[in-house]
Amino acid sequence: MPASIEAILDALPYLLQGSLVTIGVVLGAMGLGLAIGVTLALGQVYGPRVLQVPIGLYIWFFRGVPLLVLLFLFYFGLFSLMGLNLSAFAVAAIVLGLISAAYQSQIFRGAIHSLPEGQLKAARALGMSDTRAIVSVILPQALRLSIPGWSNEYSIVLKDSAVAYALGVAEVMARAHFVATRTYEHLPLYFTAGLIFLALTFLGTRGLRTLEEKVRIPGYSR
C-alpha cells in the first residue's frame, strides 16, 4: 500500500474527530452571529440616529480587520485584560461570531428592506405596537428571506474556522498539520482535510436549502 494512502487511512479517524470540533466552532459562531446580527439589523433599520452610528462602527471594524488579527487581539489581549480565562475554542467561536454578526446584519437588513413598507403601517392600524409588529410580522418574513444569504455565510464561517488552528484549537486543519509534520505526507493529508471541509459545506448548505424550502411561503418571494 502506498505510504500516502496508509497515512490517510491512519489519520482519518483523528481528522474526523477534529471535524466535530470544527462543527462546534461554526455552530457557536453562527448562533452568536444570528443573535447579534438580527439586533444590529433592527437597530439600523428602526433605531434612532444615535444608535445607528455605533452600529455602523461595529460593522466597519469587524468587516475591516483580518480574522487572524482579531483572534490574537481577543485571545492574547482583550480577554486577558478583562480577566476572562477562556479556552481557545471559546475565543475562536466568539470572534468568528462577532465577525459573522457584522455580515449577517447586512443580510437581515436587506431582507427587512425588501418587505413592503405598508406591512408595518397595517400592523399599527390593527393596534399592534412597533415592537410586536416587528417580532410577529416583520422578523418571521425577513428570517425566511435571509436563509439563502445565511447559507452563504455558513460556508464562509466554516472556511474561516480553519484559521482557529493558530490558537491551538484541535479542529480539522490543526490535526492535519499535526499529522503531516510527523509523517511528511503533507499533500495527501491536506487534500483529505480539504475534502472534509467540502463535505461539511455540502451538508450544511444542503440542510439550509431544505429548511428554505420547508418554511417558504407558497406564492411569496423576495
Side-chain angles (χ1 to χ4, degrees):
M1 180 183 297
S4 58
I5 301 298
E6 185 176 356
I8 292 174
L9 293 177
D10 290 341
L12 190 57
Y14 182 65
L15 297 180
L16 292 177
Q17 290 176 3
S19 68
L20 298 178
V21 179
T22 295
I23 293 171
V25 171
V26 173
L27 291 179
M30 292 296 291
L32 179 62
L34 173 63
I36 299 177
V38 170
T39 304
L40 295 177
L42 293 176
Q44 280 192 305
V45 177
Y46 300 110
R49 178 68 178 176
V50 68
L51 183 62
Q52 293 180 10
V53 172
I55 291 176
L57 290 174
Y58 175 97
I59 295 170
W60 169 77
F61 176 79
F62 281 100
R63 292 173 68 178
V65 180
L67 169 59
L68 188 59
V69 175
L70 289 172
L71 286 173
F72 287 167
L73 176 64
F74 278 83
Y75 188 63
F76 296 108
L78 295 179
F79 286 149
S80 296
L81 290 176
M82 296 168 63
L84 299 176
N85 186 22
L86 300 178
S87 66
F89 175 91
V91 173
I94 291 172
V95 172
L96 283 169
L98 294 175
I99 297 172
S100 180
Y103 289 95
Q104 289 192 51
S105 68
Q106 302 311 291
I107 296 173
F108 299 132
R109 183 171 68 92
I112 293 172
H113 279 308
S114 71
L115 298 174
E117 295 182 3
Q119 291 194 9
L120 187 58
K121 296 179 181 178
R124 290 169 177 165
L126 292 173
M128 290 187 181
S129 64
D130 285 354
T131 301
R132 184 179 177 186
I134 291 171
V135 172
S136 302
V137 178
I138 302 299
L139 272 184
Q141 299 177 77
L143 291 175
R144 284 181 172 93
L145 297 176
S146 299
I147 293 177
W150 209 61
S151 177
N152 184 63
E153 179 63 15
Y154 162 80
S155 301
I156 294 173
V157 173
L158 177 62
K159 290 187 293 184
D160 286 348
S161 68
V163 183
Y165 92 93
L167 299 183
V169 180
E171 43 75 59
V172 175
M173 189 60 194
R175 292 174 183 241
H177 180 71
F178 176 80
V179 177
T181 55
R182 282 153 179 77
T183 61
Y184 300 101
E185 296 291 345
H186 295 83
L187 179 59
L189 287 167
Y190 290 144
F191 181 77
T192 303
L195 291 178
I196 292 175
F197 276 106
L198 284 174
L200 294 176
T201 300
F202 172 78
L203 292 174
T205 54
R206 183 70 175 180
L208 289 171
R209 177 63 178 173
T210 301
L211 176 63
E212 179 186 358
E213 292 295 331
K214 187 173 183 179
V215 302
R216 183 176 63 87
I217 302 174
Y220 186 86
S221 61
R222 179 182 291 228

